[in-house]
Amino acid sequence: MGALGTAERPVRVAVVGAGPAGFFVSEALLKRAAPVFSVDLIERLPTPFGLVRAGVAPDHQKIKSVTRTFEKTAQHGRFRFFGHVTVGKDVSHEELLSHYDQVVYAIGSSGDRRLGIPGEELTGCHAATAFVGWYNGHPDFRDFPFDLGKKRAVVVGAGNVALDISRVLLRDRDELAKTDIADYALDALRRSPLEEVVVLARRGPAQAAFTTGELEDIIALPGVAVRVDPKQLEVDETTLARLDANAKRNLEVLQKVADAPKAEARRTLKLEFLASPVEVLGEDGKVRGVKVERNALVPVGDDVKARGTGEFFELDAGLVFRSIGYFGQPVPGVPFDEKAGVIPNVDGRVKERDGATVPRVYAVGWIRRGPLGVIGTNKADGVLVAERVAEDVAALVPEARPSPGGLPRLLAERGVKVVSYADWLALDRLEVEAGRQTGKVREKITRIEDMLNALLREG
Ligand code: NAP
């Protein structure tokens, strides 16, 4: 056997999580001339691509074209895909460490944050993340009981996810029918009498987290009017002088909308700034509205915070979505920061609570730095963490780890039905073909069982 990090004996890395961060770090590792790496990408679902498949909105197909880059990585001779394998259930963290030289966690942030207000548990009050998973056909959410038979929905939060779900709720159904939206979600939207979505932003328009592109997308929707109270767009001179380019453009675009609102529209998006929900109101266990407090901005350091003014108003609504961010989930045996929802690390090197480095273990993407940034942000993150992984190779003991056959053998012994990349390509073909028959980009298979059965039929 050759020296560690050569073509005869590559450094064997397990990357856990096949979303953008997992693929980008794999790409960065495989691209290196020295040391030479091999990558096994392990994914809980039978399908790769994480939030590109199950997060990016179905009417944003252009963004999904990044999968072409991931496909190139998947074709690499030193890359293998282990789909439908859960770390912490099918194989433990400790077992991975015994089979690989290094382990990189790229598991994203699959949980959500709660508002912590009364009424959040009422039927009809949902996490935006669950709704996103549902309309995107994510197996974990496809059976979620979303009742869209309501005229008004309230979305709490002013980020891009809030605008994504608002757009999907408001967009013309025939337009959505051409995308890869889950069939049951399209049916529910077609039946929905929804007329208005109200977005509640706790701070002002200058602090909104959404990007101008997302805002313009929704403004451009045919049959949808965006309404905003011009008084809420007034920003003081000091704030104006400090605005970043995105906030400046947001304000300009919002001002135009406020000055010339669309006269005729089937559905409406109301942007309500300086407004926080203080209670989700219910009747017979179901959401009937939201009690909202008007906020004022108070300076805190270089930033501003929302503070309640004691002035309240109520909104009737049958649906409430909290869109206030994703939150990471722990893996048994791997350090976890419960407060921040991330794996504690410095530049990707995982740390214990006391600050000690956990040898051979890394984190990348949202589970490393929190649920912020666009898909492309993970490219730089992948490069950074690959660099640290490579730097640490010198400290590895090569002969301590078994062969590439170790993990497949272990999983076979446990009866785990591993989905390979070739299997995924077969599923991909089936989905695209099923979509073609009904004029959609693809028709997703949304149950794991159905995916596995389809693969059995394909042989
Ligand atoms: P986000 O960008 O962090 O936005 C979260 C929003 O929730 C902020 O407006 C925040 O307001 C608000 N918020 C937080 N806690 C709150 C509370 N207790 N009460 C009321 N409001 C609260 O998160 P996200 O929308 O989930 O998006 C996650 C990441 O994915 C972002 O980086 C986003 O840009 C990205 N993404 C990108 C796209 C795209 O490029 N097309 C699409 C979807 C998502 P404060 O600012 O006051 O904290």
Side-chain angles (χ1 to χ4, degrees), residues 53-122:
R53 179 176 163 99
V56 172
D59 57 343
H60 272 177
Q61 289 296 318
K62 250 196 193 156
I63 299 180
K64 294 185 189 234
S65 61
V66 67
T67 55
R68 276 186 226 128
T69 314
F70 302 157
E71 273 157 11
K72 258 194 208 153
T73 301
Q75 300 312 322
H76 197 287
R78 282 182 268 110
F79 174 94
R80 299 188 299 182
F81 177 69
F82 289 81
H84 193 227
V85 176
T86 303
V87 175
K89 183 178 133 243
D90 299 319
V91 56
S92 70
H93 169 63
E94 290 72 23
E95 284 166 338
L96 280 188
L97 279 174
S98 73
H99 286 285
Y100 292 89
D101 297 303
Q102 292 160 307
V103 180
V104 182
Y105 284 95
I107 53 175
S109 313
S110 57
D112 64 274
R113 296 176 60 232
R114 295 186 73 87
L115 287 160
I117 59 172
E120 241 181 313
E121 71 295 339
L122 290 166

Side-chain angles (χ1 to χ4, degrees), residues 60 63 113 115 156-162 164 202-203 207 209 214 323-326 366 371-374:
H60 272 177
I63 299 180
R113 296 176 60 232
L115 287 160
V156 183
N160 280 335
V161 171
D164 268 352
R202 65 178 168 184
R203 299 195 289 167
Q207 293 80 33
E214 289 276 330
S323 184
I324 59 170
Y326 286 79
W366 277 8
L372 277 183
V374 293

Side-chain angles (χ1 to χ4, degrees), residues 195-266:
E195 288 170 359
E196 186 176 57
V197 174
V198 182
V199 167
L200 296 180
R202 65 178 168 184
R203 299 195 289 167
Q207 293 80 33
F210 52 68
T211 44
T212 315
E214 289 276 330
L215 179 62
E216 285 172 330
D217 266 7
I218 213 162
I219 291 169
L221 289 183
V224 175
V226 176
R227 309 217 184 278
V228 54
D229 180 350
K231 279 197 222 94
Q232 292 179 8
L233 299 182
E234 288 164 13
V235 175
D236 65 85
E237 291 299 321
T238 329
T239 311
L240 263 184
R242 282 195 196 156
L243 290 186
D244 65 22
N246 184 67
K248 253 187 215 150
R249 275 189 288 136
N250 277 350
L251 270 179
E252 283 163 17
V253 170
L254 287 169
Q255 195 63 60
K256 265 194 215 157
V257 166
D259 290 347
K262 243 181 236 172
E264 289 289 311
R266 244 178 104 193

Side-chain angles (χ1 to χ4, degrees), residues 24-45:
F24 281 128
V25 76
S26 301
E27 178 191 341
L29 288 168
L30 292 167
K31 265 188 177 166
R32 297 185 75 93
V36 175
F37 285 97
S38 70
V39 172
D40 284 354
L41 184 55
I42 302 169
E43 164 62 44
R44 183 169 72 87
L45 294 176

